Amino acid sequence: MTLKRAYPDRPTPVYGTLGRSYARAAAAAPAGPPARAPETGWTDWATSVDSRVIYVSATGSDANDGLTTDAPKLTISAGEGLLRDGFPDHLLMKRGDTFAAQRLSLPTTRSGRSNTERMVYGVYGDEADGRAIIQTPANDSFLNIGFGTGSCSHVVFFGLDISPPSRTTNPTCILWGSGSSANLTFEDMHVHGYSVGLNLRSTSSSNVKLHRCVVNDMDNNMGLLMTNVDGIEVTECIFDSCGWEDGFTAASTQTRNVYIQTTCDNVVFSRNHSHRSSSNGAQIRPGGECDDNLFVRNASALHYGFRYGAAPTVGGVSGTCSRNIALNSEDHDTVAGGQGIGLGNINATGAMVEGNLIANGTSVLGISDGFLLECADNGFATQPILNMTMTNNVATNQDRPLRLTGIIGTDIQGTTISSNKFSAIGGAASDRQRVYQSSTAWAAGITFTSNAMYSTAVAGEWTHWAGVAHTLAEWVTDTGATGTTSAALSFTDSSRGVDTYLDWLDSTTGSTEADFFARLLLQRRGDWDDRLETLSVNAHIRAGFDLVPA
């Protein structure tokens, strides 16, 4: 099996021991700009006049009433027994304490009162002490609500660090499969070391939010899986290394960091980190708002709309896919990688694809595509692109910066591709062109304007359609493209990545991607570094590739 982490300086997850899962190396405070800002952006969950607040501590006793910090319960189960269905009760575990071999039972009929009066499972104490640390029983979940069971709504989880006692490929950490559910929030959670991190797939759910959660090291499946949810917000979360693990499970095209399925709707997936996934950094099948995310070292960064091997979203999808960055996509074990952003099944409402950067994808097992407009019949349905605008994007140092499938004018209609920069590595005439159209000749359906295009291939192999390589001039004639330039592309600093960002941030040299990933995994309330948020990191990288506004 190919070693997925060739980074000896990455902190090693510690399982089967009590305490934090990742140790922070002693280091001086960052010396470089900008200064770290005071923490904002967290939610404080207020109690109501009739709330019951239950405290649990590793130094408590189940003989205590658990209703004050001076008399906490010892076990989570004892505290949970005091919660009342339909009330805005709070079950709080002490920050920094470790709760070994413990989990929630959470009856499927126990809910809060309303969206504004939630039942809360969280923490109390000094934020400097970090999250409460929960180590679940061997081969067991932290929470398991069976599929189609009961109704559980108006619930919050925050401030919990959850892991198994040893690495395992079996359980899901949180399985939320209730028959119906509304108003479910996860904030400042750290979930790691399971098969699936969060499997949120009620029969019918609405208003589900994840904010500033860290989900990493899921051995053989998903970090986040969502099904049948109307109203999703995933913001400022960190997903890393899900779907595979050295010594446990090889990479697979069926496992990934994030999978939001076609049965979901009204999706916001923004300002998230998603790195080193077995296959996709994120599959956002229902479309929606997918903006300002950062994807590094995945096999494939992002799929938006299109679905392989099963029925797609009925009626197509619409929304925005803007200002995302995909760097250094690569092969993982036997999974051919190097892929950037795939788009498809776009309906007449349309999608705006703007300001994205895809760079430096590589593949020995296949071909690294930058933007893939995927419109072919997947065996269940053709997934056309009926109205899409691609503008001000950069795809550089990829085998094929732009690839299209399907029939232009039929499967792809009403689409404008303008003011982009596409730069190909070049290679064999049959498979590595700057623009690659896999099936028929060009027809009305796409308008190309003011694009900068360059390839290191010989002149006659810059583009490809209808099974034949063509010159740029032939492509311009057949497509009716206007304003196309063909000079070699140059950028202010195309070496920029998360490693160079860390150098700049710390006023040092020699930082690695592993250093950056390790620091990300330590993000939490009370020690949240705003300079590691994607808006800041992406601005540094985008400026190197002259993407304005940065």
Side-chain angles (χ1 to χ4, degrees):
M1 184 187 302
T2 302
L3 290 178
K4 103 174 167 182
R5 297 192 181 100
Y7 307 120
D9 51 348
R10 182 186 190 276
T12 300
V14 179
Y15 297 93
T17 59
L18 303 184
R20 291 190 60 147
S21 299
Y22 289 88
R24 181 191 293 275
R36 185 169 174 169
E39 288 192 26
T40 58
W42 300 106
T43 307
D44 293 317
W45 304 98
T47 57
S48 300
V49 293
D50 60 343
S51 293
R52 177 181 291 171
V53 182
I54 303 118
Y55 300 93
V56 184
S57 171
T59 58
S61 169
D62 285 346
N64 293 335
D65 64 14
L67 301 180
T68 66
T69 57
D70 293 330
K73 293 288 188 182
L74 174 65
T75 63
I76 294 172
S77 59
E80 189 180 9
L82 299 177
L83 295 171
R84 303 164 295 173
D85 180 41
F87 284 82
D89 292 345
H90 291 211
L91 176 62
L92 306 180
M93 287 138 273
K94 190 174 182 181
R95 290 183 177 275
D97 280 8
T98 296
F99 302 88
Q102 299 193 47
R103 67 186 303 275
L104 282 177
S105 60
L106 189 59
T108 56
T109 57
R110 189 166 66 210
S111 301
R113 177 176 291 148
S114 67
N115 185 32
T116 57
E117 293 184 289
R118 306 279 195 101
M119 182 167 286
V120 175
Y121 300 85
V123 291
Y124 74 97
D126 191 339
E127 287 184 1
D129 292 331
R131 301 180 180 95
I133 300 162
I134 299 173
Q135 188 180 93
T136 52
N139 297 313
D140 204 351
S141 300
F142 173 67
L143 170 64
N144 189 328
I145 299 178
F147 296 121
T149 306
S151 175
C152 190
S153 297
H154 319 311
V155 179
V156 172
F157 295 88
F158 79 92
L160 306 178
D161 183 318
I162 311 173
S163 65
S166 61
R167 296 305 297 270
T168 175
T169 59
N170 294 318
T172 294
C173 180
I174 295 175
L175 172 61
W176 194 278
S178 64
S180 63
S181 183
N183 307 321
L184 177 63
T185 297
F186 299 88
E187 182 169 301
D188 191 33
M189 299 285 286
H190 186 189
V191 176
H192 49 120
Y194 294 87
S195 173
V196 180
L198 295 94
N199 187 346
L200 310 179
R201 52 191 308 175
S202 298
T203 303
S204 175
S205 294
S206 61
N207 190 27
V208 177
K209 299 180 180 180
L210 279 77
H211 181 59
R212 291 185 177 176
C213 294
V214 179
V215 180
N216 63 286
D217 291 322
M218 301 303 148
D219 287 330
N220 73 335
N221 212 297
M222 315 288 181
L224 170 65
L225 173 62
M226 303 184 80
T227 304
N228 302 325
V229 182
D230 186 358
I232 295 171
E233 291 185 18
V234 182
T235 55
E236 297 183 21
C237 292
I238 298 160
F239 301 95
D240 181 49
S241 297
C242 295
W244 61 320
E245 182 59 43
D246 298 332
F248 288 87
T249 310
S252 165
T253 58
Q254 303 301 311
T255 58
R256 52 194 61 84
N257 281 354
V258 176
Y259 188 9
I260 300 178
Q261 292 189 333
T262 57
T263 54
C264 298
D265 200 5
N266 295 308
V267 176
V268 175
F269 186 83
S270 295
R271 306 185 305 280
N272 300 292
H273 287 274
S274 188
H275 311 309
R276 299 186 292 186
S277 172
S278 167
S279 58
N280 306 106
Q283 286 188 343
I284 312 298
R285 298 304 192 206
E289 299 177 24
C290 185
D291 306 320
D292 299 301
N293 302 291
L294 177 59
F295 303 92
V296 180
R297 295 283 175 194
N298 301 286
S300 176
L302 171 65
H303 278 181
Y304 180 97
F306 188 86
R307 185 178 187 184
Y308 294 99
T313 300
V314 176
V317 308
S318 62
T320 59
C321 181
S322 300
R323 300 178 305 279
N324 301 290
I325 294 180
L327 297 179
N328 305 330
S329 297
E330 61 186 1
D331 298 336
H332 287 167
D333 292 331
T334 60
V335 176
Q339 309 304 307
I341 298 176
L343 303 139
N345 199 29
I346 308 298
N347 61 29
T349 301
M352 173 61 73
V353 182
E354 180 178 16
N356 299 286
L357 168 64
I358 302 170
N360 307 324
T362 60
S363 179
V364 175
L365 301 175
I367 301 167
S368 64
D369 293 319
F371 289 96
L372 170 60
L373 277 58
E374 186 69 271
C375 309
D377 191 328
N378 72 342
F380 292 82
T382 298
Q383 302 177 62
I385 293 177
L386 299 181
N387 182 13
M388 187 173 73
T389 298
M390 286 185 63
T391 186
N392 196 35
N393 301 285
V394 172
T396 183
N397 206 26
Q398 300 279 142
D399 289 335
R400 295 186 297 212
L402 177 62
R403 180 187 177 193
L404 305 95
T405 68
I407 302 173
I408 309 289
T410 301
D411 299 333
I412 303 179
Q413 303 176 32
T415 292
T416 299
I417 300 178
S418 66
S419 302
N420 303 286
K421 296 179 180 179
F422 298 127
S423 179
I425 298 171
S430 62
D431 60 13
R432 286 174 171 82
Q433 285 75 29
R434 186 180 47 188
V435 180
Y436 184 93
Q437 159 61 14
S438 61
S439 56
T440 62
W442 298 95
I446 303 179
T447 300
F448 290 92
T449 61
S450 303
N451 295 290
M453 298 183 166
Y454 181 74
S455 174
T456 56
V458 298
E461 300 173 359
W462 275 31
T463 61
H464 185 283
W465 71 89
V468 180
H470 294 272
T471 66
L472 179 63
E474 291 171 330
W475 178 81
V476 167
T477 298
D478 275 33
T479 62
T482 61
T484 304
T485 61
S486 58
L489 300 182
S490 63
F491 302 99
T492 297
D493 184 2
S494 60
S495 69
R496 288 195 181 185
V498 296
D499 49 352
T500 65
Y501 178 74
L502 208 56
D503 278 347
W504 174 73
L505 192 64
D506 293 351
S507 297
T508 187
T509 59
S511 297
T512 65
E513 289 180 340
D515 296 329
F516 179 83
F517 299 143
R519 193 175 296 188
L520 274 184
L521 295 177
L522 297 171
Q523 291 278 75
R524 63 169 178 82
R525 184 165 183 168
D527 194 13
W528 184 268
D529 190 342
D530 63 294
R531 301 168 303 175
L532 298 180
E533 294 174 10
T534 62
L535 292 181
S536 297
V537 182
N538 287 6
H540 167 85
I541 298 171
R542 289 167 60 84
F545 288 85
D546 306 312
L547 268 169
V548 179

